[in-house]
Amino acid sequence: MYFCNIVYAGYKGRAAQSADVTSPTVEISFENRYSSNSVVYISSRAFVIISSTDPFVDGAITSGVGTVYYLIDADPEISTPGVYAQPFTLAEGTHTIYYASQDKAGNFSERKSTTVYVDGASPVTDLHITGQGKAIPSPDGIIYILPYSSVALP
């Protein structure tokens, strides 16, 4: 139990407040993500963002978020997590990210995990121009397509 001084509308006194016993929350998000059937896909240039809050509970002190932890592609039962400081990117491949947070009172959030598929390859396509017209390339790299041409991206 903690006590704090209160000055409100001319009243001065002390009120009791409970210690912070509420666990923080932690979430992960991905810049420019694509999801399909609960599978998350991102580019190798997309940022991974982990955020945490220490929720306010009426009548209790909120200590605030202390540390956010994360671990990539390692067993959280035997590996030491890193301290999250800023958004990061991932190399191409499939990755499992474990993450959790601790508030300044020592309460831990639930440890969560997310598997993400990272694509580092640029898309490749061809441009097919067919028909009676034709394409005329210019010296500056622009392609002019004449009337009666068909354009397809196979």
Side-chain angles (χ1 to χ4, degrees):
M1 182 81 53
Y2 293 93
F3 288 91
C4 62
N5 290 324
I6 296 177
V7 178
Y8 177 71
Y11 172 79
K12 288 186 177 183
R14 290 170 56 109
Q17 288 190 324
S18 299
D20 182 356
V21 294
T22 305
S23 298
T25 60
V26 65
E27 299 297 328
I28 194 166
S29 60
F30 303 95
E31 185 180 66
N32 300 321
R33 73 183 263 162
Y34 170 76
S35 296
S36 177
N37 297 324
S38 300
V39 178
V40 177
Y41 301 91
I42 63 171
S43 162
S44 59
R45 294 183 300 272
F47 283 109
V48 178
I49 302 157
I50 304 173
S51 57
S52 180
T53 58
D54 193 19
F56 174 77
V57 176
D58 195 30
I61 292 175
T62 300
S63 63
V65 175
T67 308
V68 177
Y69 301 98
Y70 74 105
L71 191 60
I72 301 169
D73 298 332
D75 184 345
E77 299 300 325
I78 60 173
S79 300
T80 303
V83 174
Y84 175 81
Q86 63 187 20
F88 57 90
T89 58
L90 295 167
E92 186 171 12
T94 303
H95 300 283
T96 301
I97 306 167
Y98 297 91
Y99 51 101
S101 65
Q102 181 181 22
D103 66 16
K104 293 176 184 173
N107 302 308
F108 280 91
S109 70
E110 170 189 2
R111 182 178 66 212
K112 297 181 177 182
S113 67
T114 299
T115 298
V116 62
Y117 300 87
V118 181
D119 182 3
S122 297
V124 177
T125 189
D126 291 320
L127 180 65
H128 290 252
I129 302 168
T130 58
Q132 295 176 354
K134 63 179 186 175
I136 303 172
S138 69
D140 58 1
I142 297 174
I143 297 175
Y144 296 95
I145 301 172
L146 300 176
Y148 308 108
S149 296
S150 296
V151 178
L153 297 171

